[in-house]
PDB file of all heavy atoms in Angstrom:
ATOM      1  N   LEU Y  11       0.824  -1.203   0.000  1.00 98.00           N
ATOM      2  CA  LEU Y  11       0.000   0.000   0.000  1.00 98.00           C
ATOM      3  C   LEU Y  11       0.861   1.257   0.000  1.00 98.00           C
ATOM      4  O   LEU Y  11       1.956   1.271   0.568  1.00 98.00           O
ATOM      5  CB  LEU Y  11      -0.893   0.057   1.248  1.00 98.00           C
ATOM      6  CG  LEU Y  11      -1.758  -1.144   1.595  1.00 98.00           C
ATOM      7  CD1 LEU Y  11      -2.597  -0.826   2.833  1.00 98.00           C
ATOM      8  CD2 LEU Y  11      -2.639  -1.549   0.426  1.00 98.00           C
ATOM      9  N   GLU Y  12       0.338   2.304  -0.623  1.00 98.00           N
ATOM     10  CA  GLU Y  12       0.886   3.643  -0.428  1.00 98.00           C
ATOM     11  C   GLU Y  12      -0.066   4.351   0.526  1.00 98.00           C
ATOM     12  O   GLU Y  12      -1.278   4.410   0.285  1.00 98.00           O
ATOM     13  CB  GLU Y  12       0.995   4.402  -1.750  1.00 98.00           C
ATOM     14  CG  GLU Y  12       1.612   5.782  -1.569  1.00 98.00           C
ATOM     15  CD  GLU Y  12       2.158   6.367  -2.867  1.00 98.00           C
ATOM     16  OE1 GLU Y  12       3.273   5.962  -3.275  1.00 98.00           O
ATOM     17  OE2 GLU Y  12       1.456   7.207  -3.452  1.00 98.00           O
ATOM     18  N   VAL Y  13       0.490   4.864   1.615  1.00 98.00           N
ATOM     19  CA  VAL Y  13      -0.322   5.431   2.690  1.00 98.00           C
ATOM     20  C   VAL Y  13       0.030   6.902   2.885  1.00 98.00           C
ATOM     21  O   VAL Y  13       1.209   7.253   3.016  1.00 98.00           O
ATOM     22  CB  VAL Y  13      -0.093   4.662   4.008  1.00 98.00           C
ATOM     23  CG1 VAL Y  13      -0.976   5.226   5.114  1.00 98.00           C
ATOM     24  CG2 VAL Y  13      -0.363   3.173   3.820  1.00 98.00           C
ATOM     25  N   THR Y  14      -0.990   7.743   2.918  1.00 97.00           N
ATOM     26  CA  THR Y  14      -0.801   9.170   3.154  1.00 97.00           C
ATOM     27  C   THR Y  14      -1.487   9.551   4.460  1.00 97.00           C
ATOM     28  O   THR Y  14      -2.661   9.204   4.674  1.00 97.00           O
ATOM     29  CB  THR Y  14      -1.390  10.006   2.003  1.00 97.00           C
ATOM     30  OG1 THR Y  14      -0.810   9.587   0.772  1.00 97.00           O
ATOM     31  CG2 THR Y  14      -1.105  11.487   2.212  1.00 97.00           C
ATOM     32  N   LEU Y  15      -0.778  10.257   5.314  1.00 94.00           N
ATOM     33  CA  LEU Y  15      -1.325  10.652   6.616  1.00 94.00           C
ATOM     34  C   LEU Y  15      -1.785  12.099   6.596  1.00 94.00           C
ATOM     35  O   LEU Y  15      -1.062  12.988   6.167  1.00 94.00           O
ATOM     36  CB  LEU Y  15      -0.269  10.482   7.705  1.00 94.00           C
ATOM     37  CG  LEU Y  15       0.258   9.066   7.957  1.00 94.00           C
ATOM     38  CD1 LEU Y  15       1.232   9.081   9.121  1.00 94.00           C
ATOM     39  CD2 LEU Y  15      -0.882   8.104   8.234  1.00 94.00           C
ATOM     40  N   GLU Y  16      -2.996  12.320   7.092  1.00 91.00           N
ATOM     41  CA  GLU Y  16      -3.444  13.690   7.359  1.00 91.00           C
ATOM     42  C   GLU Y  16      -2.990  14.112   8.749  1.00 91.00           C
ATOM     43  O   GLU Y  16      -2.676  15.268   8.995  1.00 91.00           O
ATOM     44  CB  GLU Y  16      -4.969  13.789   7.274  1.00 91.00           C
ATOM     45  CG  GLU Y  16      -5.510  13.926   5.877  1.00 91.00           C
ATOM     46  CD  GLU Y  16      -6.972  14.323   5.858  1.00 91.00           C
ATOM     47  OE1 GLU Y  16      -7.426  14.974   6.828  1.00 91.00           O
ATOM     48  OE2 GLU Y  16      -7.656  13.976   4.882  1.00 91.00           O
ATOM     49  N   THR Y  17      -3.002  13.154   9.669  1.00 90.00           N
ATOM     50  CA  THR Y  17      -2.571  13.399  11.047  1.00 90.00           C
ATOM     51  C   THR Y  17      -1.358  12.530  11.334  1.00 90.00           C
ATOM     52  O   THR Y  17      -1.033  11.636  10.559  1.00 90.00           O
ATOM     53  CB  THR Y  17      -3.709  13.068  12.031  1.00 90.00           C
ATOM     54  OG1 THR Y  17      -4.178  11.736  11.757  1.00 90.00           O
ATOM     55  CG2 THR Y  17      -4.864  14.050  11.872  1.00 90.00           C
ATOM     56  N   GLY Y  18      -0.693  12.777  12.450  1.00 88.00           N
ATOM     57  CA  GLY Y  18       0.523  12.030  12.758  1.00 88.00           C
ATOM     58  C   GLY Y  18       0.511  11.450  14.154  1.00 88.00           C
ATOM     59  O   GLY Y  18       1.363  11.754  14.979  1.00 88.00           O
ATOM     60  N   ARG Y  19      -0.476  10.611  14.440  1.00 92.00           N
ATOM     61  CA  ARG Y  19      -0.569   9.993  15.771  1.00 92.00           C
ATOM     62  C   ARG Y  19       0.442   8.858  15.908  1.00 92.00           C
ATOM     63  O   ARG Y  19       0.808   8.212  14.918  1.00 92.00           O
ATOM     64  CB  ARG Y  19      -1.980   9.444  16.020  1.00 92.00           C
ATOM     65  CG  ARG Y  19      -3.094  10.421  15.739  1.00 92.00           C
ATOM     66  CD  ARG Y  19      -2.959  11.700  16.521  1.00 92.00           C
ATOM     67  NE  ARG Y  19      -4.014  12.642  16.144  1.00 92.00           N
ATOM     68  CZ  ARG Y  19      -3.951  13.942  16.317  1.00 92.00           C
ATOM     69  NH1 ARG Y  19      -2.860  14.493  16.867  1.00 92.00           N
ATOM     70  NH2 ARG Y  19      -4.937  14.718  15.959  1.00 92.00           N
ATOM     71  N   THR Y  20       0.853   8.597  17.131  1.00 90.00           N
ATOM     72  CA  THR Y  20       1.770   7.489  17.398  1.00 90.00           C
ATOM     73  C   THR Y  20       1.138   6.172  16.940  1.00 90.00           C
ATOM     74  O   THR Y  20      -0.011   5.886  17.277  1.00 90.00           O
ATOM     75  CB  THR Y  20       2.107   7.426  18.894  1.00 90.00           C
ATOM     76  OG1 THR Y  20       2.648   8.678  19.315  1.00 90.00           O
ATOM     77  CG2 THR Y  20       3.113   6.320  19.173  1.00 90.00           C
ATOM     78  N   HIS Y  21       1.881   5.406  16.159  1.00 95.00           N
ATOM     79  CA  HIS Y  21       1.449   4.089  15.665  1.00 95.00           C
ATOM     80  C   HIS Y  21       0.209   4.178  14.771  1.00 95.00           C
ATOM     81  O   HIS Y  21      -0.507   3.185  14.599  1.00 95.00           O
ATOM     82  CB  HIS Y  21       1.160   3.121  16.825  1.00 95.00           C
ATOM     83  CG  HIS Y  21       2.347   2.793  17.663  1.00 95.00           C
ATOM     84  ND1 HIS Y  21       2.287   1.913  18.734  1.00 95.00           N
ATOM     85  CD2 HIS Y  21       3.632   3.241  17.634  1.00 95.00           C
ATOM     86  CE1 HIS Y  21       3.480   1.823  19.309  1.00 95.00           C
ATOM     87  NE2 HIS Y  21       4.309   2.630  18.654  1.00 95.00           N
ATOM     88  N   GLN Y  22      -0.048   5.347  14.166  1.00 97.00           N
ATOM     89  CA  GLN Y  22      -1.312   5.547  13.455  1.00 97.00           C
ATOM     90  C   GLN Y  22      -1.573   4.512  12.370  1.00 97.00           C
ATOM     91  O   GLN Y  22      -2.652   3.895  12.333  1.00 97.00           O
ATOM     92  CB  GLN Y  22      -1.360   6.947  12.838  1.00 97.00           C
ATOM     93  CG  GLN Y  22      -2.652   7.211  12.050  1.00 97.00           C
ATOM     94  CD  GLN Y  22      -2.779   8.649  11.604  1.00 97.00           C
ATOM     95  OE1 GLN Y  22      -2.412   9.563  12.331  1.00 97.00           O
ATOM     96  NE2 GLN Y  22      -3.307   8.864  10.404  1.00 97.00           N
ATOM     97  N   ILE Y  23      -0.620   4.304  11.467  1.00 97.00           N
ATOM     98  CA  ILE Y  23      -0.836   3.341  10.376  1.00 97.00           C
ATOM     99  C   ILE Y  23      -1.027   1.943  10.947  1.00 97.00           C
ATOM    100  O   ILE Y  23      -1.925   1.196  10.518  1.00 97.00           O
ATOM    101  CB  ILE Y  23       0.348   3.378   9.389  1.00 97.00           C
ATOM    102  CG1 ILE Y  23       0.427   4.745   8.703  1.00 97.00           C
ATOM    103  CG2 ILE Y  23       0.219   2.261   8.348  1.00 97.00           C
ATOM    104  CD1 ILE Y  23       1.676   4.936   7.849  1.00 97.00           C
ATOM    105  N   ARG Y  24      -0.216   1.589  11.905  1.00 97.00           N
ATOM    106  CA  ARG Y  24      -0.284   0.237  12.485  1.00 97.00           C
ATOM    107  C   ARG Y  24      -1.639  -0.011  13.149  1.00 97.00           C
ATOM    108  O   ARG Y  24      -2.239  -1.089  12.997  1.00 97.00           O
ATOM    109  CB  ARG Y  24       0.862   0.060  13.482  1.00 97.00           C
ATOM    110  CG  ARG Y  24       2.234   0.251  12.841  1.00 97.00           C
ATOM    111  CD  ARG Y  24       3.340   0.432  13.863  1.00 97.00           C
ATOM    112  NE  ARG Y  24       3.551  -0.773  14.646  1.00 97.00           N
ATOM    113  CZ  ARG Y  24       4.355  -0.822  15.724  1.00 97.00           C
ATOM    114  NH1 ARG Y  24       4.996   0.281  16.112  1.00 97.00           N
ATOM    115  NH2 ARG Y  24       4.511  -1.952  16.370  1.00 97.00           N
ATOM    116  N   VAL Y  25      -2.129   0.982  13.898  1.00 97.00           N
ATOM    117  CA  VAL Y  25      -3.422   0.842  14.581  1.00 97.00           C
ATOM    118  C   VAL Y  25      -4.566   0.794  13.573  1.00 97.00           C
ATOM    119  O   VAL Y  25      -5.466  -0.054  13.661  1.00 97.00           O
ATOM    120  CB  VAL Y  25      -3.624   1.999  15.583  1.00 97.00           C
ATOM    121  CG1 VAL Y  25      -5.055   1.998  16.125  1.00 97.00           C
ATOM    122  CG2 VAL Y  25      -2.631   1.900  16.722  1.00 97.00           C
ATOM    123  N   HIS Y  26      -4.554   1.704  12.607  1.00 98.00           N
ATOM    124  CA  HIS Y  26      -5.638   1.744  11.628  1.00 98.00           C
ATOM    125  C   HIS Y  26      -5.681   0.484  10.766  1.00 98.00           C
ATOM    126  O   HIS Y  26      -6.770  -0.031  10.463  1.00 98.00           O
ATOM    127  CB  HIS Y  26      -5.504   2.991  10.750  1.00 98.00           C
ATOM    128  CG  HIS Y  26      -6.165   4.199  11.337  1.00 98.00           C
ATOM    129  ND1 HIS Y  26      -6.043   5.454  10.789  1.00 98.00           N
ATOM    130  CD2 HIS Y  26      -6.957   4.345  12.435  1.00 98.00           C
ATOM    131  CE1 HIS Y  26      -6.735   6.321  11.518  1.00 98.00           C
ATOM    132  NE2 HIS Y  26      -7.284   5.668  12.522  1.00 98.00           N
ATOM    133  N   MET Y  27      -4.528  -0.039  10.378  1.00 98.00           N
ATOM    134  CA  MET Y  27      -4.544  -1.242   9.551  1.00 98.00           C
ATOM    135  C   MET Y  27      -4.970  -2.463  10.364  1.00 98.00           C
ATOM    136  O   MET Y  27      -5.672  -3.344   9.851  1.00 98.00           O
ATOM    137  CB  MET Y  27      -3.179  -1.473   8.902  1.00 98.00           C
ATOM    138  CG  MET Y  27      -2.759  -0.375   7.907  1.00 98.00           C
ATOM    139  SD  MET Y  27      -4.064   0.224   6.797  1.00 98.00           S
ATOM    140  CE  MET Y  27      -4.534  -1.265   5.922  1.00 98.00           C
ATOM    141  N   GLN Y  28      -4.575  -2.524  11.634  1.00 97.00           N
ATOM    142  CA  GLN Y  28      -5.058  -3.623  12.478  1.00 97.00           C
ATOM    143  C   GLN Y  28      -6.582  -3.567  12.602  1.00 97.00           C
ATOM    144  O   GLN Y  28      -7.261  -4.598  12.557  1.00 97.00           O
ATOM    145  CB  GLN Y  28      -4.430  -3.548  13.872  1.00 97.00           C
ATOM    146  CG  GLN Y  28      -4.910  -4.680  14.785  1.00 97.00           C
ATOM    147  CD  GLN Y  28      -4.661  -4.410  16.261  1.00 97.00           C
ATOM    148  OE1 GLN Y  28      -4.725  -3.267  16.705  1.00 97.00           O
ATOM    149  NE2 GLN Y  28      -4.355  -5.455  17.013  1.00 97.00           N
ATOM    150  N   ALA Y  29      -7.116  -2.343  12.759  1.00 96.00           N
ATOM    151  CA  ALA Y  29      -8.556  -2.191  12.914  1.00 96.00           C
ATOM    152  C   ALA Y  29      -9.319  -2.669  11.673  1.00 96.00           C
ATOM    153  O   ALA Y  29     -10.477  -3.088  11.771  1.00 96.00           O
ATOM    154  CB  ALA Y  29      -8.902  -0.734  13.205  1.00 96.00           C
ATOM    155  N   GLN Y  30      -8.650  -2.630  10.493  1.00 96.00           N
ATOM    156  CA  GLN Y  30      -9.259  -3.125   9.257  1.00 96.00           C
ATOM    157  C   GLN Y  30      -9.009  -4.622   9.054  1.00 96.00           C
ATOM    158  O   GLN Y  30      -9.356  -5.174   8.019  1.00 96.00           O
ATOM    159  CB  GLN Y  30      -8.684  -2.346   8.065  1.00 96.00           C
ATOM    160  CG  GLN Y  30      -8.917  -0.845   8.110  1.00 96.00           C
ATOM    161  CD  GLN Y  30     -10.382  -0.482   8.104  1.00 96.00           C
ATOM    162  OE1 GLN Y  30     -11.102  -0.885   7.205  1.00 96.00           O
ATOM    163  NE2 GLN Y  30     -10.826   0.272   9.102  1.00 96.00           N
ATOM    164  N   ARG Y  31      -8.368  -5.241  10.050  1.00 97.00           N
ATOM    165  CA  ARG Y  31      -7.985  -6.658   9.994  1.00 97.00           C
ATOM    166  C   ARG Y  31      -6.959  -6.927   8.905  1.00 97.00           C
ATOM    167  O   ARG Y  31      -6.921  -8.023   8.322  1.00 97.00           O
ATOM    168  CB  ARG Y  31      -9.226  -7.555   9.830  1.00 97.00           C
ATOM    169  CG  ARG Y  31     -10.200  -7.415  10.985  1.00 97.00           C
ATOM    170  CD  ARG Y  31     -11.351  -8.375  10.880  1.00 97.00           C
ATOM    171  NE  ARG Y  31     -12.259  -8.245  12.016  1.00 97.00           N
ATOM    172  CZ  ARG Y  31     -13.371  -8.949  12.192  1.00 97.00           C
ATOM    173  NH1 ARG Y  31     -13.702  -9.869  11.279  1.00 97.00           N
ATOM    174  NH2 ARG Y  31     -14.132  -8.762  13.238  1.00 97.00           N
ATOM    175  N   HIS Y  32      -6.135  -5.919   8.647  1.00 98.00           N
ATOM    176  CA  HIS Y  32      -5.032  -6.048   7.696  1.00 98.00           C
ATOM    177  C   HIS Y  32      -3.767  -5.464   8.333  1.00 98.00           C
ATOM    178  O   HIS Y  32      -3.235  -4.450   7.863  1.00 98.00           O
ATOM    179  CB  HIS Y  32      -5.351  -5.321   6.384  1.00 98.00           C
ATOM    180  CG  HIS Y  32      -6.538  -5.862   5.663  1.00 98.00           C
ATOM    181  ND1 HIS Y  32      -6.537  -7.111   5.059  1.00 98.00           N
ATOM    182  CD2 HIS Y  32      -7.772  -5.345   5.459  1.00 98.00           C
ATOM    183  CE1 HIS Y  32      -7.722  -7.331   4.509  1.00 98.00           C
ATOM    184  NE2 HIS Y  32      -8.485  -6.271   4.733  1.00 98.00           N
ATOM    185  N   PRO Y  33      -3.278  -6.082   9.426  1.00 97.00           N
ATOM    186  CA  PRO Y  33      -2.102  -5.521  10.096  1.00 97.00           C
ATOM    187  C   PRO Y  33      -0.879  -5.513   9.191  1.00 97.00           C
ATOM    188  O   PRO Y  33      -0.781  -6.312   8.240  1.00 97.00           O
ATOM    189  CB  PRO Y  33      -1.893  -6.458  11.289  1.00 97.00           C
ATOM    190  CG  PRO Y  33      -2.522  -7.751  10.866  1.00 97.00           C
ATOM    191  CD  PRO Y  33      -3.708  -7.354  10.027  1.00 97.00           C
ATOM    192  N   CYS Y  34       0.043  -4.608   9.465  1.00 97.00           N
ATOM    193  CA  CYS Y  34       1.300  -4.599   8.716  1.00 97.00           C
ATOM    194  C   CYS Y  34       1.995  -5.946   8.903  1.00 97.00           C
ATOM    195  O   CYS Y  34       2.093  -6.451  10.034  1.00 97.00           O
ATOM    196  CB  CYS Y  34       2.217  -3.478   9.213  1.00 97.00           C
ATOM    197  SG  CYS Y  34       1.605  -1.810   8.875  1.00 97.00           S
ATOM    198  N   VAL Y  35       2.470  -6.519   7.820  1.00 97.00           N
ATOM    199  CA  VAL Y  35       3.212  -7.777   7.907  1.00 97.00           C
ATOM    200  C   VAL Y  35       4.410  -7.579   8.839  1.00 97.00           C
ATOM    201  O   VAL Y  35       5.108  -6.571   8.771  1.00 97.00           O
ATOM    202  CB  VAL Y  35       3.680  -8.207   6.507  1.00 97.00           C
ATOM    203  CG1 VAL Y  35       4.679  -9.343   6.591  1.00 97.00           C
ATOM    204  CG2 VAL Y  35       2.488  -8.598   5.642  1.00 97.00           C
ATOM    205  N   GLY Y  36       4.622  -8.521   9.735  1.00 95.00           N
ATOM    206  CA  GLY Y  36       5.734  -8.432  10.674  1.00 95.00           C
ATOM    207  C   GLY Y  36       5.402  -7.721  11.966  1.00 95.00           C
ATOM    208  O   GLY Y  36       6.192  -7.758  12.918  1.00 95.00           O
ATOM    209  N   ASP Y  37       4.237  -7.081  12.046  1.00 95.00           N
ATOM    210  CA  ASP Y  37       3.884  -6.271  13.218  1.00 95.00           C
ATOM    211  C   ASP Y  37       3.125  -7.116  14.237  1.00 95.00           C
ATOM    212  O   ASP Y  37       1.906  -6.991  14.408  1.00 95.00           O
ATOM    213  CB  ASP Y  37       3.054  -5.070  12.790  1.00 95.00           C
ATOM    214  CG  ASP Y  37       2.901  -4.032  13.888  1.00 95.00           C
ATOM    215  OD1 ASP Y  37       3.488  -4.229  14.971  1.00 95.00           O
ATOM    216  OD2 ASP Y  37       2.211  -3.021  13.658  1.00 95.00           O
ATOM    217  N   THR Y  38       3.854  -7.985  14.939  1.00 92.00           N
ATOM    218  CA  THR Y  38       3.205  -8.901  15.879  1.00 92.00           C
ATOM    219  C   THR Y  38       2.542  -8.167  17.046  1.00 92.00           C
ATOM    220  O   THR Y  38       1.595  -8.677  17.637  1.00 92.00           O
ATOM    221  CB  THR Y  38       4.219  -9.924  16.421  1.00 92.00           C
ATOM    222  OG1 THR Y  38       5.370  -9.233  16.931  1.00 92.00           O
ATOM    223  CG2 THR Y  38       4.676 -10.862  15.299  1.00 92.00           C
ATOM    224  N   MET Y  39       3.023  -6.962  17.386  1.00 92.00           N
ATOM    225  CA  MET Y  39       2.388  -6.190  18.460  1.00 92.00           C
ATOM    226  C   MET Y  39       0.936  -5.864  18.117  1.00 92.00           C
ATOM    227  O   MET Y  39       0.069  -5.794  18.987  1.00 92.00           O
ATOM    228  CB  MET Y  39       3.151  -4.892  18.727  1.00 92.00           C
ATOM    229  CG  MET Y  39       2.483  -3.986  19.763  1.00 92.00           C
ATOM    230  SD  MET Y  39       3.330  -2.422  20.040  1.00 92.00           S
ATOM    231  CE  MET Y  39       4.745  -2.957  21.003  1.00 92.00           C
ATOM    232  N   TYR Y  40       0.677  -5.679  16.826  1.00 95.00           N
ATOM    233  CA  TYR Y  40      -0.671  -5.318  16.394  1.00 95.00           C
ATOM    234  C   TYR Y  40      -1.329  -6.411  15.557  1.00 95.00           C
ATOM    235  O   TYR Y  40      -2.079  -6.141  14.632  1.00 95.00           O
ATOM    236  CB  TYR Y  40      -0.640  -3.985  15.637  1.00 95.00           C
ATOM    237  CG  TYR Y  40      -0.443  -2.802  16.557  1.00 95.00           C
ATOM    238  CD1 TYR Y  40       0.805  -2.189  16.679  1.00 95.00           C
ATOM    239  CD2 TYR Y  40      -1.487  -2.308  17.338  1.00 95.00           C
ATOM    240  CE1 TYR Y  40       0.988  -1.105  17.536  1.00 95.00           C
ATOM    241  CE2 TYR Y  40      -1.314  -1.223  18.193  1.00 95.00           C
ATOM    242  CZ  TYR Y  40      -0.071  -0.631  18.285  1.00 95.00           C
ATOM    243  OH  TYR Y  40       0.107   0.437  19.144  1.00 95.00           O
ATOM    244  N   GLY Y  41      -1.033  -7.656  15.907  1.00 93.00           N
ATOM    245  CA  GLY Y  41      -1.824  -8.765  15.389  1.00 93.00           C
ATOM    246  C   GLY Y  41      -1.334  -9.461  14.147  1.00 93.00           C
ATOM    247  O   GLY Y  41      -2.052 -10.294  13.576  1.00 93.00           O
ATOM    248  N   ALA Y  42      -0.117  -9.174  13.675  1.00 95.00           N
ATOM    249  CA  ALA Y  42       0.382  -9.852  12.476  1.00 95.00           C
ATOM    250  C   ALA Y  42       0.667 -11.326  12.777  1.00 95.00           C
ATOM    251  O   ALA Y  42       1.027 -11.701  13.894  1.00 95.00           O
ATOM    252  CB  ALA Y  42       1.648  -9.173  11.973  1.00 95.00           C
ATOM    253  N   ASP Y  43       0.522 -12.151  11.754  1.00 95.00           N
ATOM    254  CA  ASP Y  43       0.772 -13.592  11.865  1.00 95.00           C
ATOM    255  C   ASP Y  43       2.286 -13.837  11.933  1.00 95.00           C
ATOM    256  O   ASP Y  43       3.002 -13.543  10.968  1.00 95.00           O
ATOM    257  CB  ASP Y  43       0.177 -14.288  10.646  1.00 95.00           C
ATOM    258  CG  ASP Y  43       0.287 -15.804  10.711  1.00 95.00           C
ATOM    259  OD1 ASP Y  43       1.108 -16.308  11.518  1.00 95.00           O
ATOM    260  OD2 ASP Y  43      -0.420 -16.481   9.954  1.00 95.00           O
ATOM    261  N   PRO Y  44       2.809 -14.381  13.037  1.00 92.00           N
ATOM    262  CA  PRO Y  44       4.258 -14.577  13.160  1.00 92.00           C
ATOM    263  C   PRO Y  44       4.824 -15.585  12.167  1.00 92.00           C
ATOM    264  O   PRO Y  44       6.013 -15.537  11.845  1.00 92.00           O
ATOM    265  CB  PRO Y  44       4.431 -15.063  14.606  1.00 92.00           C
ATOM    266  CG  PRO Y  44       3.099 -15.591  15.008  1.00 92.00           C
ATOM    267  CD  PRO Y  44       2.088 -14.782  14.262  1.00 92.00           C
ATOM    268  N   THR Y  45       3.989 -16.487  11.658  1.00 94.00           N
ATOM    269  CA  THR Y  45       4.507 -17.455  10.681  1.00 94.00           C
ATOM    270  C   THR Y  45       4.833 -16.765   9.349  1.00 94.00           C
ATOM    271  O   THR Y  45       5.778 -17.147   8.667  1.00 94.00           O
ATOM    272  CB  THR Y  45       3.497 -18.596  10.442  1.00 94.00           C
ATOM    273  OG1 THR Y  45       2.278 -18.058   9.912  1.00 94.00           O
ATOM    274  CG2 THR Y  45       3.193 -19.327  11.739  1.00 94.00           C
ATOM    275  N   ILE Y  46       4.051 -15.745   9.001  1.00 94.00           N
ATOM    276  CA  ILE Y  46       4.345 -14.980   7.786  1.00 94.00           C
ATOM    277  C   ILE Y  46       5.629 -14.180   7.980  1.00 94.00           C
ATOM    278  O   ILE Y  46       6.482 -14.108   7.090  1.00 94.00           O
ATOM    279  CB  ILE Y  46       3.168 -14.053   7.430  1.00 94.00           C
ATOM    280  CG1 ILE Y  46       1.912 -14.861   7.118  1.00 94.00           C
ATOM    281  CG2 ILE Y  46       3.533 -13.149   6.249  1.00 94.00           C
ATOM    282  CD1 ILE Y  46       0.687 -14.022   6.819  1.00 94.00           C
ATOM    283  N   SER Y  47       5.778 -13.571   9.155  1.00 92.00           N
ATOM    284  CA  SER Y  47       7.005 -12.809   9.457  1.00 92.00           C
ATOM    285  C   SER Y  47       8.227 -13.694   9.306  1.00 92.00           C
ATOM    286  O   SER Y  47       9.237 -13.286   8.709  1.00 92.00           O
ATOM    287  CB  SER Y  47       6.940 -12.257  10.892  1.00 92.00           C
ATOM    288  OG  SER Y  47       5.755 -11.536  11.112  1.00 92.00           O
ATOM    289  N   ALA Y  48       8.146 -14.917   9.840  1.00 93.00           N
ATOM    290  CA  ALA Y  48       9.283 -15.841   9.772  1.00 93.00           C
ATOM    291  C   ALA Y  48       9.582 -16.226   8.331  1.00 93.00           C
ATOM    292  O   ALA Y  48      10.754 -16.291   7.919  1.00 93.00           O
ATOM    293  CB  ALA Y  48       8.993 -17.082  10.613  1.00 93.00           C
ATOM    294  N   ARG Y  49       8.537 -16.457   7.542  1.00 95.00           N
ATOM    295  CA  ARG Y  49       8.745 -16.859   6.147  1.00 95.00           C
ATOM    296  C   ARG Y  49       9.419 -15.757   5.342  1.00 95.00           C
ATOM    297  O   ARG Y  49      10.222 -16.026   4.443  1.00 95.00           O
ATOM    298  CB  ARG Y  49       7.390 -17.220   5.510  1.00 95.00           C
ATOM    299  CG  ARG Y  49       7.487 -17.644   4.050  1.00 95.00           C
ATOM    300  CD  ARG Y  49       6.194 -18.294   3.587  1.00 95.00           C
ATOM    301  NE  ARG Y  49       5.078 -17.365   3.597  1.00 95.00           N
ATOM    302  CZ  ARG Y  49       4.766 -16.556   2.577  1.00 95.00           C
ATOM    303  NH1 ARG Y  49       5.514 -16.553   1.479  1.00 95.00           N
ATOM    304  NH2 ARG Y  49       3.716 -15.776   2.639  1.00 95.00           N
ATOM    305  N   LEU Y  50       9.126 -14.512   5.709  1.00 96.00           N
ATOM    306  CA  LEU Y  50       9.690 -13.376   4.979  1.00 96.00           C
ATOM    307  C   LEU Y  50      10.988 -12.866   5.593  1.00 96.00           C
ATOM    308  O   LEU Y  50      11.605 -11.942   5.065  1.00 96.00           O
ATOM    309  CB  LEU Y  50       8.666 -12.231   4.922  1.00 96.00           C
ATOM    310  CG  LEU Y  50       7.334 -12.551   4.238  1.00 96.00           C
ATOM    311  CD1 LEU Y  50       6.427 -11.338   4.260  1.00 96.00           C
ATOM    312  CD2 LEU Y  50       7.561 -13.028   2.810  1.00 96.00           C
ATOM    313  N   GLY Y  51      11.391 -13.457   6.719  1.00 94.00           N
ATOM    314  CA  GLY Y  51      12.624 -13.034   7.367  1.00 94.00           C
ATOM    315  C   GLY Y  51      12.519 -11.679   8.040  1.00 94.00           C
ATOM    316  O   GLY Y  51      13.521 -10.983   8.219  1.00 94.00           O
ATOM    317  N   LEU Y  52      11.307 -11.301   8.462  1.00 95.00           N
ATOM    318  CA  LEU Y  52      11.095  -9.990   9.075  1.00 95.00           C
ATOM    319  C   LEU Y  52      11.135 -10.066  10.594  1.00 95.00           C
ATOM    320  O   LEU Y  52      10.549 -10.979  11.199  1.00 95.00           O
ATOM    321  CB  LEU Y  52       9.732  -9.416   8.657  1.00 95.00           C
ATOM    322  CG  LEU Y  52       9.632  -8.796   7.268  1.00 95.00           C
ATOM    323  CD1 LEU Y  52       8.184  -8.403   6.979  1.00 95.00           C
ATOM    324  CD2 LEU Y  52      10.540  -7.569   7.145  1.00 95.00           C
ATOM    325  N   THR Y  53      11.805  -9.099  11.205  1.00 92.00           N
ATOM    326  CA  THR Y  53      11.816  -8.988  12.660  1.00 92.00           C
ATOM    327  C   THR Y  53      11.162  -7.687  13.115  1.00 92.00           C
ATOM    328  O   THR Y  53      11.269  -7.299  14.266  1.00 92.00           O
ATOM    329  CB  THR Y  53      13.258  -9.045  13.197  1.00 92.00           C
ATOM    330  OG1 THR Y  53      14.028  -7.991  12.592  1.00 92.00           O
ATOM    331  CG2 THR Y  53      13.900 -10.390  12.893  1.00 92.00           C
TER     332      THR Y  53
END
């Protein structure tokens, strides 16, 4: 995705994408699947 912010809240993209049930890949704090993170080599 290309994401444009109108506001700049802490963790804004991460929180908003989790709320849409599409968390950022690798973002286990906000609900990402750790098996996908491991497959992609993301920490």
